[in-house]
Amino acid sequence: MRLAAAGNEAFAAASLAVSELLGCHRCGGGRGQDEELGIRIPRPLGHGPSRFIPEKEILQVGSEDAQTHALFADSFAALGRLDNITLVMVFHPQYLESFLKTQHYLLQMDGPLPLYYRHYIGIMAAARHQCSYLVNLHVNDFLHVGGDPKWLNGLENAPQKLQNLGELNKVLAHRPWLVTKEDIEGLLKAEEHSWSLAELVHAVVLLTHYHSLASFTFGCGISPEIHCDGGHTFRPPSVSNYCICDITNGNHNMDEMQFNSAGNISVSDSFFEVEALMEKMKQLQECRDEEEASQEEMASRFEIEKRESMLVLSSDEDEATPARDVSRHFEDTSYGYKDFSRHGMHVPTFRVQDYCWEDHGYSLVNRLYPDVGQLIDEKFHIAYNLTYNTMAMHKDVDTSMLRRAIWNYIHCMFGIRYDDYDYGEINQLLDRSFKVYIKTVVCTPEKVTRRMYDSFWRQFKHSEKVHVNLLLIEARMQAELLYALRAITRYMT
């Protein structure tokens, strides 16, 4: 996809408009209030695209290279905006290009579902995780493509066909291992308002895409857009000499310094954490070279890790009541994540050698929704294989062992097992604070806090933590897809 030519002029105009909007008397830009027209101009309430990442570490619009400028133009031309997700994902341009290409295809290119259905399904999926950021964006998009405003009053006002999708949305978001071929049959064989197979695959891909994107939004602390609720203020800066340009340029360290001084750990301690992790990777590689565990031992280690993953509490058990503007887009607000072996339940292990993305899911998606399987597959591969051969202050590092441990830990939490992987490596490479962060981002992203983000990999760069989030969301999306597509396959056979 190359939308750059179409989007360059619009992007340049938008950049200028944003610069003027965020300017001040001191720098000759826009003003907090236009004296001639009496118009109050909104100011950004937050400090850049992310609440977790200092804005000075995020690429400033206007200072990007040609490749990144083309990506920004693609994003602007496709979405009509340069959103905060793009501004954070651009730490990893190769992934961002694949992500934008996939999302553009899902939302705007030829496909089984009408455009307004696509955006409404995005709203339903994001609402399951109380992600008002994504809900707000897609409410605007839904209306822009001709969606009926009445549907936004609540799911009960949407067509029955979309209401019927609510149960699958709920289970896929929180307990995908419970999806059955009977769930699929119920949607495909409804007396009225039934789904076709192609429509259902399109819907499933959209649901999993937006569940995962909600994880990224919370995991990276994405700030609301300036035009959305919570993204702007009309109040002037509280300190008389505090210029709005300081906010856009990253000079906003007062509250950051207060937070960091209270929660900091010594640099030497976090330095030794990196060294210890490097040493563990070296030792594990040596053990791999010397001996290989039996299949029985490998299976046993998976079961141990699966049980231990249930003991990692993602966050406080208290459930926050979702806001009405989000919760009206889904039913059964009390339904959430529960570990698959709690309360006497036993869910059989999902063995990848029996049903995997490469051999089964990919071909099914591509057959029923042409080209999408290819796009998703490319995105999975980029996230999984992406490396700059660095770890914190170290260069020329083979990070494949660490990336595989993160990916397989997520699938382990979903009951998915690779029979060629030694799950004993996970406890060696992922410490408890990192596991808490991973489980929260993947299972209950609405509960992620800045303290969780700051507490893992304390010597690593923010770009490396964003990279972790790319692994988390793609592993999560693949896990959900595997359960849904396996159920569709079982229905078809």
Side-chain angles (χ1 to χ4, degrees):
M1 177 186 70
R2 262 291 154 254
L3 300 170
N8 266 332
E9 289 185 12
F11 173 69
S15 298
L16 180 62
V18 170
S19 299
E20 290 176 349
L21 179 66
L22 300 182
C24 70
H25 294 295
R26 198 171 82 190
C27 65
R31 291 159 288 184
Q33 179 164 331
D34 190 304
E35 288 88 348
E36 295 176 9
L37 299 176
I39 298 171
R40 294 194 305 160
I41 297 177
R43 302 175 183 276
L45 190 60
H47 303 325
S50 166
R51 301 188 310 279
F52 299 166
I53 305 170
E55 190 181 3
K56 61 180 175 289
E57 298 200 24
I58 292 176
L59 181 68
Q60 299 293 305
V61 176
S63 63
E64 69 274 7
D65 59 22
Q67 179 198 14
T68 304
H69 182 79
L71 282 173
F72 282 167
D74 284 354
S75 177
F76 190 85
L79 301 173
R81 58 180 176 264
L82 189 59
D83 62 1
N84 288 338
I85 286 176
T86 298
L87 292 172
V88 172
M89 273 189 188
V90 80
F91 273 120
H92 305 285
Q94 184 187 7
Y95 175 86
L96 176 60
E97 182 174 14
S98 178
F99 172 85
L100 290 174
K101 196 162 45 172
T102 304
Q103 183 165 264
H104 175 69
Y105 197 95
L106 288 173
L107 293 176
Q108 293 174 283
M109 300 298 283
D110 288 345
L113 295 174
L115 298 184
Y116 54 94
Y117 261 55
R118 303 179 197 194
H119 289 293
Y120 196 82
I121 290 169
I123 292 168
M124 290 172 63
R128 278 283 7 153
H129 283 307
Q130 305 168 37
C131 188
S132 56
Y133 174 90
L134 291 174
V135 169
N136 285 334
L137 290 183
H138 284 281
V139 162
N140 292 333
D141 292 337
F142 171 77
L143 294 172
H144 181 70
V145 297
D148 186 341
K150 295 192 189 71
W151 298 10
L152 300 175
N153 293 330
L155 184 58
E156 67 277 7
N157 297 290
Q160 187 62 46
K161 184 171 180 173
L162 283 167
Q163 292 184 46
N164 292 347
L165 193 65
E167 184 70 16
L168 182 63
N169 178 30
K170 176 179 83 172
V171 178
L172 265 184
H174 304 299
R175 308 173 202 175
W177 47 87
L178 298 181
V179 176
T180 66
K181 70 175 184 179
E182 287 75 24
D183 296 324
I184 303 304
E185 185 173 21
L187 290 166
L188 297 174
K189 289 192 171 181
E191 292 185 11
E192 296 181 56
H193 318 291
S194 62
W195 293 75
S196 71
L197 264 174
E199 288 174 332
L200 185 57
V201 166
H202 193 169
V204 162
V205 172
L206 284 166
L207 290 173
T208 58
H209 176 80
Y210 282 103
H211 294 157
S212 300
L213 197 53
S215 284
F216 184 86
T217 301
F218 287 114
C220 291
I222 300 295
S223 300
E225 304 294 330
I226 189 172
H227 65 281
C228 293
D229 290 344
H232 63 269
T233 179
F234 291 106
R235 294 193 304 274
S238 56
V239 181
S240 59
N241 64 348
Y242 193 58
C243 170
I244 197 67
C245 290
D246 293 336
I247 293 180
T248 63
N249 292 324
N251 303 320
H252 54 265
N253 292 331
M254 287 183 287
D255 56 352
E256 263 179 27
M257 286 190 296
Q258 289 169 354
F259 178 91
N260 289 337
S261 64
N264 250 0
I265 189 165
S266 73
V267 173
S268 61
D269 282 354
S270 53
F271 172 81
F272 285 123
E273 287 178 358
V274 179
E275 298 305 307
L277 180 55
M278 293 280 291
E279 182 60 29
K280 284 176 183 173
M281 289 169 62
K282 180 182 174 184
Q283 291 172 357
L284 285 171
Q285 187 58 55
E286 290 171 353
C287 290
R288 275 184 185 176
D289 295 340
E290 290 173 8
E291 60 176 325
E292 187 173 320
S294 67
Q295 280 300 310
E296 292 76 11
E297 179 62 24
M298 300 269 261
S300 173
R301 290 174 186 176
F302 170 79
E303 293 300 330
I304 291 169
E305 188 55 50
K306 190 170 74 167
R307 285 196 299 274
E308 286 190 1
S309 76
M310 292 186 288
L311 301 177
V312 175
L313 298 178
S314 59
S315 55
D316 296 334
E317 290 296 327
D318 296 336
E319 296 290 336
T321 303
R324 169 63 188 158
D325 64 334
V326 173
S327 65
R328 65 186 173 202
H329 299 299
F330 65 93
E331 298 168 325
D332 195 358
T333 57
S334 64
Y335 191 94
Y337 173 80
K338 287 285 187 292
D339 291 315
F340 43 74
S341 293
R342 290 274 174 92
H343 310 299
M345 291 179 58
H346 176 70
V347 177
T349 294
F350 187 125
R351 300 168 74 243
V352 169
Q353 65 265 36
D354 296 336
Y355 195 95
C356 68
W357 166 255
E358 290 80 5
D359 296 336
H360 306 95
Y362 167 82
S363 58
L364 177 62
V365 171
N366 243 22
R367 188 164 78 250
L368 294 169
Y369 187 8
D371 298 328
V372 165
Q374 179 67 39
L375 290 167
I376 295 171
D377 187 62
E378 176 187 277
K379 190 159 59 77
F380 286 157
H381 277 282
I382 289 174
Y384 187 86
N385 295 310
L386 186 66
T387 183
Y388 306 95
N389 299 112
T390 61
M391 271 182 56
M393 69 293 290
H394 295 281
K395 296 181 179 179
D396 300 318
V397 182
D398 180 356
T399 62
S400 57
M401 178 184 292
L402 189 54
R403 284 180 278 118
R404 190 178 186 193
I406 294 168
W407 187 280
N408 287 2
Y409 179 61
I410 294 158
H411 280 195
C412 179
M413 289 192 304
F414 284 87
I416 298 172
R417 181 189 168 221
Y418 296 81
D419 64 355
D420 62 345
Y421 182 70
D422 182 356
Y423 286 84
E425 293 186 3
I426 289 174
N427 273 340
Q428 297 290 313
L429 297 174
L430 312 183
D431 64 26
R432 188 162 189 82
S433 62
F434 192 14
K435 284 184 171 183
V436 167
Y437 178 79
I438 291 172
K439 188 170 184 179
T440 307
V441 169
V442 171
C443 301
T444 54
E446 60 277 10
K447 296 182 178 182
V448 174
T449 65
R450 177 169 175 176
R451 190 169 297 278
M452 288 180 191
Y453 176 89
D454 286 339
S455 69
F456 83 93
W457 282 11
R458 288 169 285 201
Q459 274 288 305
F460 284 73
K461 302 179 186 74
H462 289 288
S463 61
E464 292 172 310
K465 292 194 171 190
V466 173
H467 186 181
V468 166
N469 274 278
L470 301 183
L471 280 168
L472 303 192
I473 66 172
E474 294 302 334
R476 176 190 177 168
M477 181 175 179
Q478 189 178 100
E480 284 190 32
L481 276 175
L482 283 173
Y483 278 109
L485 297 174
R486 184 180 69 167
I488 291 173
T489 300
R490 286 177 171 174
Y491 164 79
M492 292 170 66
T493 55

